[in-house]
């Protein structure tokens, strides 16, 4: 099975992916605070503010992607959030762990949600055929 990068997903799938992105947004918000604190601890207060806004921007992108998950733009934005989460590990190496967990969750929910949506469609078609 190929993982879709673009397009729309089924009802169950987009709901699962939206929940995962909101959870990821919470973690990314905490990441923004950690990056800011690390910059301040390294006497780079000016960088700290900038890094805080970058991290909060990534968290906001995750929330926007969750909100748009129902349409064709949501899935590519969700993938972009995953890629940018991996890129954030350049700022804080511990983000590799967060990226692994959320990317694995993203892929798992995408695969399983697609299966459930296909099963639901099949059962609905069988029910409609039996009703005739």
């Amino acid at each position: 099975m190929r993982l879709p990068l673009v397009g729309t997903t089924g009802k169950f799938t987009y709901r699962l992916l939206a929940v995962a992105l909101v959870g990821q947004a919470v973690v990314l918000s905490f990441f923004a605070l950690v990056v800011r604190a690390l910059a301040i601890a390294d006497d780079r207060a000016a960088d700290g503010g900038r890094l805080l806004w970058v991290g909060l921007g990534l968290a906001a992108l995750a929330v926007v992607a969750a909100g748009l998950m129902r349409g064709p733009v949501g899935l590519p934005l969700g993938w972009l959030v995953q890629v940018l989460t991996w890129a954030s590990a350049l700022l804080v190496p511990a983000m590799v762990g967060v990226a692994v967990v959320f990317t694995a969750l993203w892929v798992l929910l995408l695969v399983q949600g697609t299966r459930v949506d296909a099963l639901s469609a099949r059962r609905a078609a069988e029910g409609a055929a039996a009703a005739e």
Side-chain angles (χ1 to χ4, degrees), residues 12-61:
F12 191 73
T13 304
Y14 80 70
R15 287 179 178 174
L16 287 175
L17 294 176
V19 168
L21 284 170
V22 169
Q24 189 168 359
V26 171
V27 172
L28 291 171
S29 297
F30 289 127
F31 154 74
L33 294 171
V34 168
V35 169
R36 178 178 177 265
L38 289 174
I40 290 171
D42 287 341
D43 290 328
R44 297 180 302 133
D47 288 341
R50 194 174 17 228
L51 292 171
L52 174 68
W53 287 110
V54 168
L56 291 177
L58 180 55
L61 179 64

Side-chain angles (χ1 to χ4, degrees), residues 24 28 58 80-89 95 98-99 102:
Q24 189 168 359
L28 291 171
L58 180 55
L80 179 64
V81 169
Q82 302 312 312
V83 169
L84 292 176
T85 301
W86 279 97
S88 69
M95 283 303 290
V98 173
F102 278 102

Side-chain angles (χ1 to χ4, degrees), residues 100-125:
V100 166
V101 168
F102 278 102
T103 302
L105 182 63
W106 175 263
V107 170
L108 175 71
L109 295 178
L110 187 56
V111 169
Q112 294 300 326
T114 302
R115 286 182 182 166
V116 169
D117 284 330
L119 181 63
S120 295
R122 193 170 344 129
R123 285 190 179 165

